[in-house]
Amino acid sequence: MRQVKNSIKTAIVGNRMLRGMLNSATGDFPKIFVYHRFARSRQPGSDALAVDEFIWQLEQLRSGFDVMTVAACLGHFERHGRWPKQSAIVTVDDGYRDFYDIAFPELAKRGLPATFYVTTGFIDRHVWLWPDMLEHAFSVTHADSLTLDLGDGVASFPLHGGDAKRQAWSAVSSRCLKVADHERKALIGSVLAQLGVVLPPHPPSEYEAVTWDQLRDIGSHGIEIGSHTVSHPILSRVPLEELDREVRLSKRRLEEQLGCEVRTFCYPNSSPHDINEAVLGSVRQHYAGAVFGIDLKRWDRHMLPRMGVTEDREDFLWKLYGGESLTGG
């Protein structure tokens, strides 16, 4: 059955007329794509998107779609009571400098907008993003093994070679996504202690954030800057007072530094249990809209669904023309 589905997908994607029919048949909803990291060339074992693939994707977007920001999409909805047709949105999460150095110049060359969701404590050089903490620690450690209780009993991970370290990183990261914020911090502290790693006060260049001046430059060239919290916690797993700080103060910090209204928000992570009614209530209070999740059949202005991006061109076109909504999103 999977082979049949893939054959149908290939046939549709390879035919311009069929792609147009697919787009019309699936509701012609805004195609919102999510990106994180960029690289100048393909990096084995990395999730960063190579710039040549990003360029190809931008060319597909501008060849038949109205590329806009999340705020512009919401503005259309507010004025007309419906989502804009034949539209596409590039969103980029977290605030890494590689967006400014690699992706932003390609957007600017083509006059294309995008929405850049940034973690303000990261921009202020006050915090590391926690997945980067773990990745860095595993990459520099000389420890031979790691032993932890990850919730279903004590597990031991050998650390000989890159594959073994990536497996350990994946297991620890998965656990971090499931526990309360204070438990995550304690777990990461335990990992760092066992690995014998002391983090530098600021992330090294491969994990570096943009600066405020760079954000102002980006904002002056058609890029919407949105909030992605202060410190990037899983919001459903923090106390209510911390939730308010993450949602409200990130917006205030951005508006103070950029001198413009911040209308949209991006929840850290995108699994169903990562938000709850308290989180939604706080975001609705402070923002006109937000992006979250992958349910392409649910269009709530504070839970706008997005689609992930890889270097698979057929998959990108399938998503761009609406096919993902047929397979559950």
Side-chain angles (χ1 to χ4, degrees):
M1 181 61 71
R2 179 180 293 273
Q3 186 174 359
V4 172
K5 289 181 179 179
N6 287 339
S7 297
I8 294 172
K9 178 178 176 179
T10 299
I12 292 174
V13 165
N15 184 293
R16 181 180 294 272
M17 183 179 71
L18 291 178
R19 290 201 303 266
M21 292 172 63
L22 173 65
N23 197 37
S24 298
T26 54
D28 201 17
F29 54 87
K31 311 309 190 299
I32 309 177
F33 293 96
V34 54
Y35 297 80
H36 290 87
R37 303 298 307 271
F38 300 90
R40 298 197 185 279
S41 60
R42 289 170 177 78
Q43 306 292 326
S46 170
D47 291 331
L49 186 71
V51 67
D52 60 339
E53 288 300 326
F54 185 58
I55 290 170
W56 181 87
Q57 292 173 5
L58 292 182
E59 292 301 323
Q60 307 313 305
L61 294 177
R62 74 172 183 164
S63 67
F65 292 81
D66 182 10
V67 182
M68 60 179 59
T69 64
V70 175
C73 178
L74 287 166
H76 184 283
F77 183 82
E78 290 165 354
R79 292 190 301 273
H80 303 288
R82 55 178 173 78
W83 300 109
K85 293 184 177 182
Q86 206 67 14
S87 60
I89 303 172
V90 171
T91 67
V92 183
D93 291 3
D94 299 329
Y96 289 104
R97 179 167 177 152
D98 54 46
F99 172 74
Y100 183 78
D101 291 339
I102 299 172
F104 168 59
E106 300 302 333
L107 288 159
K109 283 178 191 176
R110 294 161 179 81
L112 294 177
T115 299
F116 191 33
Y117 287 112
V118 301
T119 301
T120 56
F122 186 40
I123 310 304
D124 280 326
R125 273 61 182 173
H126 292 164
V127 300
W128 284 62
L129 300 185
W130 66 260
D132 295 342
M133 288 186 193
L134 292 172
E135 184 176 280
H136 174 75
F138 280 113
S139 70
V140 303
T141 187
H142 296 294
D144 295 324
S145 63
L146 175 70
T147 301
L148 292 169
D149 185 348
L150 296 180
D152 52 359
V154 175
S156 184
F157 299 92
L159 300 177
H160 300 291
D163 288 344
K165 289 182 177 182
R166 280 189 288 273
Q167 183 177 359
W169 176 89
S170 179
V172 175
S173 296
S174 295
R175 181 62 178 168
C176 285
L177 292 171
K178 298 174 182 175
V179 298
D181 197 54
H182 72 277
E183 294 178 79
R184 172 181 59 80
K185 292 174 181 177
L187 176 59
I188 292 174
S190 176
V191 170
L192 294 176
Q194 284 198 53
L195 297 182
V197 173
V198 177
L199 293 175
H202 306 297
S205 59
E206 60 265 38
Y207 306 115
E208 188 178 5
V210 293
T211 66
W212 288 110
D213 282 342
Q214 289 166 345
L215 273 185
R216 295 183 193 101
D217 183 27
I218 290 167
S220 71
H221 288 84
I223 306 299
E224 176 196 5
I225 311 299
S227 170
H228 198 32
T229 72
V230 175
S231 66
H232 204 272
I234 304 301
L235 291 174
S236 62
R237 304 185 187 280
V238 300
L240 289 178
E241 61 272 18
E242 186 71 10
L243 167 63
D244 177 72
R245 188 183 82 88
E246 293 284 344
V247 172
R248 178 175 53 84
L249 295 189
S250 57
K251 175 181 169 73
R252 188 171 79 182
R253 180 65 171 154
L254 286 170
E255 292 178 341
E256 288 173 350
Q257 286 292 320
L258 303 178
C260 61
E261 182 185 10
V262 172
R263 300 195 70 223
T264 71
F265 183 82
C266 174
Y267 308 86
N269 211 39
S270 208
S271 297
H273 298 298
D274 295 336
I275 63 173
N276 53 30
E277 284 304 315
V279 174
L280 281 169
S282 181
V283 172
R284 286 178 178 136
Q285 180 181 352
H286 296 289
Y287 298 89
V291 293
F292 177 80
I294 58 173
D295 184 356
L296 298 175
K297 299 185 186 302
R298 178 175 182 177
W299 285 86
D300 180 317
R301 60 187 295 159
H302 288 91
M303 295 178 64
L304 297 177
R306 301 188 290 175
M307 298 177 286
V309 172
T310 68
E311 294 183 354
D312 184 333
R313 293 186 174 187
E314 181 180 280
D315 183 66
F316 183 82
L317 290 174
W318 177 251
K319 291 174 177 177
L320 179 59
Y321 285 91
E324 193 76 352
S325 66
L326 300 178
T327 56

